[in-house]
Amino acid sequence: MAKNKIRDWLEVRIGLDELLKSQLTEYRVPKQINVFNALGSVALAGYLIQVISGIFLMIYYIPHSEHAFRSVQEIMTRVPYGWLFRQIHVVGSNLMITAVTLHMVTIFLMGNYKRPRELTWIGGGIMMVITFLFGLSGYLLPWTQLSYWATTVVTSLPTAFPFFGDFATRLLRGGDYVSGITLTRFFAVHVSVLPPLFMILMGVHIALIRRIGLSSTPFGKTDEEKRPLTEFRKKTHPEGHAYYPYLFQKQVLMVICYFLIMFSIITFAPTFFFPEEASVPADAFKTPENIRPEWYFLAPYQMLKLIPNKFLGISLQIILLFVFIFWPFLDVQKEKNIFKRPVLRGVFIFLMISWVILMWWGRR
Amino acid sequence: MKRRSFLKALFAVLGTASVSSFAYPLIRYLAPPGSSDMDKKVVLVKADIPVGGSKIILFNDKPVIVINRPGRGFIALSKVCTHLGCLVEYEKDKNRLICPCHAGTYDLEGNVLSGPPPRPLPKVTLKVEGEQLIIG
Ligand code: FES
């Protein structure tokens, strides 16, 4: 009874029935949809988890070079359940990067970046870069040996470029070296520059997906995107499933899996993301041995090590990143199905294998 | 019509001027203030560093390593790897300096032996005066 009253109240004010109908049941998704189509919402859930646990951490964290390390230790040992929120944030960051990467890979495999979804892809690519920047800026905050020296290396990267490079590095660090000034800068970026950027992009990304309509997998039968497309046409799937409950259930299932993996790691492998150097306070006068970045930067790190020329190494990586983000404009073939495109498939497999090899190599 | 295009141009100019007049303060705000280089000399006692030994000092706020090389005397080298800024370590038994980050190695003159560093380690002037070492 009470529920009905609330419903009626909302009905008058926001047109609830029509809203639910148009957004949930009348919003149709393609028939061959599968769990991989739910990866985007896993990434979104992952982001929300980061926001919430991050706000909790901010209550005790002190962004100052003399207190940062100790305040993080206190969160881990003295604050009731502080360890839980820190673990959620740290494990969550790694899992979110995994989810984002898997999301991009599956979209790529299904050719869903193709016309008219170029903008959706580019927005996603920029969000992926921002996700990495979140990881990078957050890494410094506990002010450990690992975070200090990883940041030293990363902020040195611009020095590879003539003229502007040295200035850019000083700008990032707020001085000649990574110092307390760098810490407050990175903190500001981590908590107040990146989040609004990310939110805006996410809003645009989701709005675009809803406006254009989900793409069906190219592995099915007909693929209407092969027809010339000169005007805006929303892809409705009249013969498809209703978003609710069909895709919604898959999304919930995947988010539950996400939580399952997260809490398994926290429970059974709590030190998985905490190497030894991560428990030593930052020392500006001693570079620890075996300093290496987080796993998601291992491949570029190894590439940098292998290419003797700094300028070349870094330029190559930037070029690769641009190729990746603007890929929809470089791939002009109409065929979406990667099984019918041996060259693209070959390149993809080659890239995947070399990524894994570089990562494994960089690990030692 | 003429008046309209004149006003448009005026707005464009004024708008650009007011937006860009914030750009300079913004960059200056973010850029760190110039470092207060004082070139203060550092004086060490020779006997403190035995042959094959080394000492780390701060010179102009930058870490510098002073090494007493077997058979070749003292040298002062910047500890900051010219690749990406990690600090090199002195490997006594191998007579070289090694950077832990990307395995760059240098000889005891600061020259690159192997690895990614693009330039030798900068030398810092060092003078031996009697029982003292004067750095800077
Ligand atoms: S920072 Fe020394 S080798 Fe890269």
Side-chain angles (χ1 to χ4, degrees):
Chain A
M1 204 58 194
K3 196 178 147 206
N4 274 339
K5 267 194 180 153
I6 297 170
R7 248 192 112 93
D8 292 345
W9 194 90
L10 286 174
E11 174 58 38
V12 174
R13 280 149 189 93
I14 58 171
L16 189 66
D17 277 345
E18 199 269 338
L19 191 70
L20 291 182
K21 221 166 103 187
S22 65
Q23 299 304 307
L24 296 179
T25 47
E26 267 172 18
Y27 170 36
R28 306 226 142 222
V29 296
K31 238 198 170 88
Q32 324 96 312
I33 217 158
N34 55 45
V35 281
F36 293 108
N37 290 78
L39 277 171
S41 46
V42 173
L44 169 64
Y47 181 67
L48 295 180
I49 295 168
Q50 291 311 99
V51 170
I52 295 167
S53 55
I55 292 172
F56 278 110
L57 291 179
M58 238 196 312
I59 290 172
Y60 286 101
Y61 174 73
I62 308 170
H64 185 287
S65 55
E66 271 160 39
H67 305 286
F69 182 78
R70 194 180 41 83
S71 73
V72 172
Q73 286 323 92
E74 269 181 14
I75 290 173
M76 290 301 274
T77 53
R78 298 211 18 214
V79 178
Y81 290 99
W83 60 269
L84 179 62
F85 294 109
R86 168 120 195 277
Q87 282 276 14
I88 290 177
H89 203 67
V90 172
V91 175
S93 70
N94 287 282
L95 288 185
M96 182 185 163
I97 284 168
T98 315
V100 168
T101 312
L102 283 179
H103 180 44
M104 304 274 314
V105 169
T106 51
I107 295 297
F108 185 88
L109 280 179
M110 295 198 274
N112 286 348
Y113 52 85
K114 284 184 167 288
R115 192 191 59 186
R117 300 187 172 79
E118 295 96 330
L119 292 175
T120 321
W121 169 270
I122 292 173
I126 299 174
M127 275 199 275
M128 187 190 74
V129 172
I130 294 184
T131 309
F132 285 128
L133 291 180
F134 266 121
L136 208 70
S137 53
Y139 208 46
L140 180 65
L141 304 183
W143 205 243
T144 64
Q145 272 293 68
L146 198 60
S147 62
Y148 182 92
W149 290 103
T151 307
T152 296
V153 169
V154 171
T155 52
S156 291
L157 292 179
T159 59
F161 296 94
F163 312 118
F164 187 69
D166 288 349
F167 178 73
T169 290
R170 275 175 59 80
L171 200 70
L172 282 171
R173 290 178 177 169
D176 286 332
Y177 295 95
V178 174
S179 66
I181 300 171
T182 322
L183 178 63
T184 38
R185 270 166 201 238
F186 275 44
F187 182 68
V189 167
H190 191 75
V191 305
S192 69
V193 177
L194 298 180
L197 282 180
F198 197 83
M199 295 289 218
I200 292 168
L201 282 167
M202 181 122 74
V204 173
H205 196 70
I206 293 172
L208 276 175
I209 292 168
R210 292 304 286 256
R211 180 138 179 89
I212 304 169
L214 273 187
S215 166
S216 44
T217 65
F219 312 126
K221 346 157 213 111
T222 50
D223 182 25
E224 57 196 51
E225 256 97 4
K226 264 188 238 170
R227 281 193 259 144
L229 181 70
T230 46
E231 56 187 33
F232 176 75
R233 197 187 300 142
K234 178 166 180 159
K235 191 154 188 179
T236 53
H237 299 275
E239 72 309 330
H241 297 289
Y243 164 75
Y244 181 88
Y246 197 76
L247 177 58
F248 182 76
Q249 277 177 346
K250 289 192 168 30
Q251 292 174 329
V252 171
L253 177 75
M254 292 294 272
V255 172
I256 291 174
C257 289
Y258 186 86
F259 272 110
L260 208 70
I261 296 171
M262 169 185 276
F263 286 114
S264 306
I265 294 175
I266 295 177
T267 312
F268 300 113
T271 55
F272 194 67
F273 292 115
F274 295 95
E276 208 182 306
E277 295 89 353
S279 47
V280 183
D283 180 351
F285 296 111
K286 173 119 184 72
T287 308
E289 247 169 82
N290 278 325
I291 183 94
R292 60 182 132 64
E294 286 275 75
W295 60 270
Y296 42 88
F297 287 127
L298 277 175
Y301 162 82
Q302 184 61 24
M303 230 168 100
L304 213 62
K305 260 200 323 200
L306 293 176
I307 300 172
N309 185 305
K310 194 161 68 155
F311 178 73
L312 240 114
I314 295 165
S315 309
L316 182 68
Q317 299 200 341
I318 292 177
I319 291 170
L320 286 179
L321 184 66
F322 271 87
V323 168
F324 178 72
I325 290 182
F326 293 103
W327 182 248
F329 297 111
L330 299 170
D331 176 14
V332 287
Q333 272 211 36
K334 288 210 175 65
E335 180 59 62
K336 275 178 81 183
N337 191 341
I338 197 159
F339 291 116
K340 292 189 187 143
R341 301 184 56 185
V343 178
L344 182 67
R345 196 177 50 204
V347 170
F348 178 78
I349 293 173
F350 170 76
L351 283 179
M352 279 300 169
I353 291 177
S354 26
W355 188 273
V356 170
I357 290 177
L358 281 174
M359 203 168 136
W360 183 79
W361 194 352
R363 181 148 194 90
R364 298 168 315 137
Chain B
M1 205 53 202
K2 253 187 174 166
R3 209 165 97 125
R4 168 168 299 192
S5 45
F6 171 74
L7 281 178
K8 259 190 185 165
L10 189 69
F11 266 114
V13 170
L14 286 180
T16 319
S18 47
V19 168
S20 50
S21 61
F22 278 102
Y24 179 72
L26 185 70
I27 300 265
R28 285 307 305 270
Y29 177 81
L30 292 175
S35 58
S36 50
D37 269 0
M38 51 266 176
D39 277 319
K40 254 231 242 82
K41 292 192 189 323
V42 180
V43 180
L44 297 177
V45 180
K46 217 166 138 185
D48 279 356
I49 313 175
V51 177
S54 66
K55 196 174 166 75
I56 295 151
I57 57 163
L58 269 190
F59 177 69
N60 282 348
D61 273 344
K62 300 178 173 79
V64 164
I65 184 163
V66 183
I67 310 173
N68 189 351
R69 299 168 297 175
R72 275 185 301 161
F74 291 93
I75 191 167
L77 293 169
S78 158
K79 259 195 119 202
V80 183
C81 179
T82 53
H83 182 223
L84 294 173
C86 291
L87 297 186
V88 296
E89 288 295 325
Y90 173 39
E91 275 193 338
K92 199 172 164 178
D93 29 300
K94 290 210 181 107
N95 271 320
R96 60 177 195 178
L97 296 148
I98 180 156
C99 174
C101 288
H102 313 101
T105 54
Y106 302 84
D107 67 12
L108 293 187
E109 295 288 335
N111 301 314
V112 182
L113 291 176
S114 68
R119 273 169 285 119
L121 291 172
K123 282 195 184 86
V124 180
T125 348
L126 179 144
K127 263 182 289 174
V128 186
E129 274 180 17
E131 283 311 297
Q132 285 184 329
L133 298 173
I134 302 184
I135 291 133

